[in-house]
Amino acid sequence: MSKRKIRMGMVGGGRGAFIGGVHRMAAALDGQVELVCGAFSSNPERSRLSGEDFYLPTERVYGSYAEMIEKEKQLPLGERMDFVSIVTPNHVHYGPAKMALQNGFHVVCDKPLCFNMEEAEELVALVEETGLIFALTHNYTGYPMVKQARAMIEAGELGDIRKVVVEYPQGWLSTKLEDTEQKQADWRTDPSRSGIAGAMGDIGTHAENLAEYITGLEITELCADLTAFVPGRQLDDDGNVLLRFNNGAKGILHASQISAGEENDLNIRVYGTKGGFHWRQMEPNTLLVKWLDKPVEVRRTGVGDLYPTATAHTRIPAGHPEGYLEAFANIYRNFAHCVQARLAGETPDPLLMDFPGVKDGLRGMKFIEKVVASSNSKEKWTKF
């Protein structure tokens, strides 16, 4: 079979949504994916109007994800969608993901994976049972210098890892924004849609995923202190977590949405026996590498002798900033490459098989569960 564009159906992401537009831009960036259908809202009329915005045929715009999956399955391969992209609030991840997998469709899902651990474990089992490809959009793993940092640790350049400090401060929920009918604040602070955690579920999972991805280590125990600082808010808007890793390393994870004045300053510092490094999402093309016995090195995207995985995820010549959308697009590009290889009966390029999957989602859901349990416990230290 000759290779072709991979055909995407979207659940959510219609008019008024934020992350749906990010997914569509990221998916389209490399010309490997095309949007062919969608159920863009739980409101059928809003879904229809959103389909018009995207210039889709009326018959490929659906009133529900169930209708979309059922009708798309009846179309011939190459005309029907190849995968479902799920860009809804947390409580609407599990249903479409499960139905898509049960009907033979690959899945891209926004994070966190779903609403609770029971749903997460069922999705992991379904992916293993079906053998379908599942990507989770922990997009910060897509940055070239994050890939470089991971490769340096894998190669032993930093020695044995001892200390991990990962932070994700934001300030946008410093006031009770959810009372103003702001859509993004409304669902993120609602336990019936967000789940048992607020800031820790929304951005703390990004910090957890980044720490485990870069270091290759796993959290084994944690001690958490979560707070809802804004009066009347039902879920945490700030959290501090002590971490213990499986190699004996210790860590600190801090995630906050009431750090007034902060924008989106996800950053990580990792220290080993030979040296350390510092990476910031707001300056993503720079990796500061610090050594015991020589000056600080400034590693830059596209410059010098980088590891192949960093080079494979670099798109443009040095000095041209690559950012959030490009990192997001790297996940879609790699996912599409693997789906294309599957359709063609070929083996994917190992460098392009690097994207977060359903088991990373399970780790994230476990992190949420254990952080909340630890914060509520008098014992504090909780096995991961």
Side-chain angles (χ1 to χ4, degrees):
M1 178 184 291
S2 61
K3 290 185 179 178
R4 57 169 173 80
K5 286 191 176 184
I6 302 304
R7 301 165 74 82
M8 176 172 75
M10 181 165 278
V11 178
R15 287 185 176 183
F18 157 66
I19 201 65
V22 172
H23 277 257
R24 287 188 293 274
M25 287 186 280
L29 193 60
D30 291 283
Q32 301 300 302
V33 176
E34 60 179 329
L35 178 67
V36 298
C37 65
F40 300 104
S41 172
S42 56
N43 180 313
E45 177 62 11
R46 187 177 291 122
S47 181
R48 183 187 69 79
L49 292 171
S50 299
E52 288 182 359
D53 293 344
F54 310 139
Y55 304 103
L56 291 175
T58 304
E59 67 273 13
R60 302 294 290 277
V61 181
Y62 303 100
S64 70
Y65 72 79
E67 180 190 10
M68 181 180 80
I69 291 170
E70 288 168 359
K71 290 192 174 177
E72 288 292 314
K73 189 179 180 182
Q74 296 171 17
L75 298 174
L77 184 66
E79 182 180 338
R80 69 182 181 218
M81 65 181 181
D82 295 299
F83 76 97
V84 176
S85 179
I86 302 167
V87 298
T88 57
N90 303 352
H91 71 300
V92 196
H93 288 182
Y94 167 75
K98 178 181 178 180
M99 188 173 180
L101 292 168
Q102 288 174 330
N103 284 274
F105 294 107
H106 307 289
V107 174
V108 172
C109 185
D110 207 40
K111 46 54 57 187
L113 178 59
C114 44
F115 193 71
N116 56 42
M117 276 293 290
E118 184 180 357
E119 291 179 354
E121 288 169 348
E122 187 170 349
L123 289 180
V124 169
L126 262 176
V127 171
E128 291 177 347
E129 177 187 329
T130 61
L132 292 164
I133 301 169
F134 193 108
L136 191 73
T137 51
H138 274 301
N139 53 292
Y140 301 111
T141 65
Y143 283 105
M145 298 318 288
V146 167
K147 307 287 189 189
Q148 174 71 14
R150 175 181 166 94
M152 289 177 66
I153 288 176
E154 285 182 340
E157 288 196 52
L158 268 59
D160 296 330
I161 302 304
R162 292 171 165 172
K163 182 81 172 181
V164 181
V165 181
V166 60
E167 305 170 306
Y168 203 153
Q170 298 175 338
W172 71 292
L173 287 177
S174 291
T175 62
K176 207 159 187 284
L177 194 60
E178 58 265 38
D179 288 352
T180 68
E181 299 184 0
Q182 207 267 18
K183 186 175 181 179
Q184 301 305 318
D186 187 47
W187 77 258
R188 282 176 167 82
T189 57
D190 178 3
S192 69
R193 289 178 284 172
S194 187
I196 62 174
M200 273 296 161
D202 190 23
I203 60 175
T205 50
H206 273 309
E208 169 269 329
N209 176 260
L210 189 67
E212 291 198 335
Y213 177 79
I214 282 182
T215 64
L217 303 176
E218 289 189 345
I219 299 165
T220 56
E221 288 183 279
L222 54 79
C223 177
D225 181 22
L226 307 186
T227 307
F229 275 107
V230 174
R233 181 164 287 160
Q234 298 180 74
L235 295 172
D236 60 279
D237 49 29
D238 182 84
N240 305 288
V241 189
L242 298 176
L243 306 172
R244 292 173 177 168
F245 291 90
N246 58 340
N247 75 328
K250 303 295 177 69
I252 302 168
L253 185 153
H254 139 64
S256 175
Q257 292 177 318
I258 51 84
S259 294
E262 293 289 354
E263 298 174 34
N264 218 58
D265 195 18
L266 172 63
N267 69 92
I268 185 168
R269 285 164 280 164
V270 178
Y271 302 100
T273 51
K274 297 178 182 178
F277 60 65
H278 187 192
W279 179 83
R280 293 184 62 215
Q281 191 271 152
M282 289 177 65
E283 297 289 343
N285 297 299
T286 299
L287 178 69
L288 295 179
V289 185
K290 305 177 181 184
W291 303 106
L292 278 175
D293 54 358
K294 54 185 176 180
V296 173
E297 295 178 5
V298 180
R299 304 284 176 88
R300 294 278 294 166
T301 299
V303 178
D305 186 20
L306 300 177
Y307 281 93
T309 183
T311 302
H313 293 86
T314 300
R315 297 166 171 276
I316 46 183
H320 298 79
E322 297 189 47
Y324 180 77
L325 289 176
E326 288 87 351
F328 218 113
N330 280 337
I331 291 176
Y332 267 99
R333 187 270 309 266
N334 292 1
F335 171 83
H337 172 77
C338 290
V339 174
Q340 286 170 335
R342 178 76 60 87
L343 289 171
E346 298 174 357
T347 301
D349 182 341
L351 287 175
L352 302 185
M353 294 173 69
D354 181 11
F355 54 85
V358 71
K359 289 187 178 178
D360 297 288
L362 182 65
R363 293 287 298 174
M365 292 307 301
K366 192 173 183 182
F367 174 75
I368 292 169
E369 181 184 79
K370 298 302 182 181
V371 161
V372 172
S374 171
S375 185
N376 291 335
S377 169
K378 292 181 180 179
E379 298 296 325
K380 304 313 291 180
W381 280 105
T382 302
K383 297 285 187 184
F384 194 96

